Amino acid sequence: MLDRMFAAGDISASGLAAERVRMEVVANNIANANATHTESGEPYRRQRVTFAPAGGSFASLMEGPLAQLKGVEVTGISDDMSAFPLVSDPGHPDANSDGYVRLPNVKVMNEMIDLLTATRSYEANLKSLQNFKDMQERTLAVLQQLG
């Protein structure tokens, strides 16, 4: 039982770590929104983060006891393989023979929304962790009064 005593804190901490990674990836996407030429010779390709329940699949966790819940983990950062938009800009150094430039597949507005949702999720996990800490402190205070 003692090993599960801090499970709520561990779950919130895993959410904090995962959302921090998500915010870093979104910030990198925004920073490269105009990078038309990378080391590979292509425009920057948007990246996205994939999450999964820590310790197993969600379906298996729902079949067993809630004690199996361990939070979330980042399972990968992958490239968004959607097409690069083409824009006519014959004077651009990366323009093709027809005068079109392939731009990164980053939509800054979508990235800002992702950043906002990641920030809100981070704040919710932080609040949950703070509530858990407060409950632990109150429990210790009650135990001190009884003992």
Side-chain angles (χ1 to χ4, degrees):
M1 171 148 165
L2 189 58
D3 61 330
R4 297 304 302 160
M5 191 163 117
F6 296 104
D10 293 342
I11 291 170
S12 293
S14 74
L16 288 171
E19 292 301 341
R20 180 189 51 80
V21 170
R22 183 175 167 202
M23 287 186 278
E24 289 173 357
V25 168
V26 169
N28 190 50
N29 288 341
I30 293 170
N32 287 288
N34 295 313
T36 59
H37 191 86
T38 61
E39 290 178 7
S40 67
E42 292 204 328
Y44 174 80
R45 192 168 286 282
R46 177 183 182 267
Q47 294 182 317
R48 56 184 169 199
V49 179
T50 307
F51 297 144
S57 71
F58 185 72
S60 67
L61 293 174
M62 293 311 289
E63 292 171 3
L66 291 178
Q68 293 182 28
L69 297 177
K70 295 180 177 130
V72 67
E73 64 186 358
V74 173
T75 58
I77 299 173
S78 59
D79 290 340
D80 179 350
M81 299 308 290
S82 62
F84 295 120
L86 287 174
V87 173
S88 177
D89 188 355
H92 194 282
D94 291 326
N96 64 17
S97 59
D98 296 328
Y100 286 94
V101 178
R102 290 189 313 162
L103 298 178
N105 60 349
V106 175
K107 296 177 182 168
V108 176
M109 186 62 68
N110 291 351
E111 298 300 322
M112 294 301 293
I113 292 168
D114 282 351
L115 186 58
L116 182 62
T117 57
T119 301
R120 295 285 189 242
S121 182
Y122 186 91
E123 290 169 351
N125 279 293
L126 184 59
K127 184 66 174 171
S128 176
L129 193 58
Q130 289 169 337
N131 288 339
F132 173 74
K133 179 183 149 272
D134 292 344
M135 286 174 26
Q136 294 293 325
E137 288 174 353
R138 282 187 237 135
T139 301
L140 287 173
V142 168
L143 290 173
Q144 284 177 343
Q145 289 176 356
L146 294 175

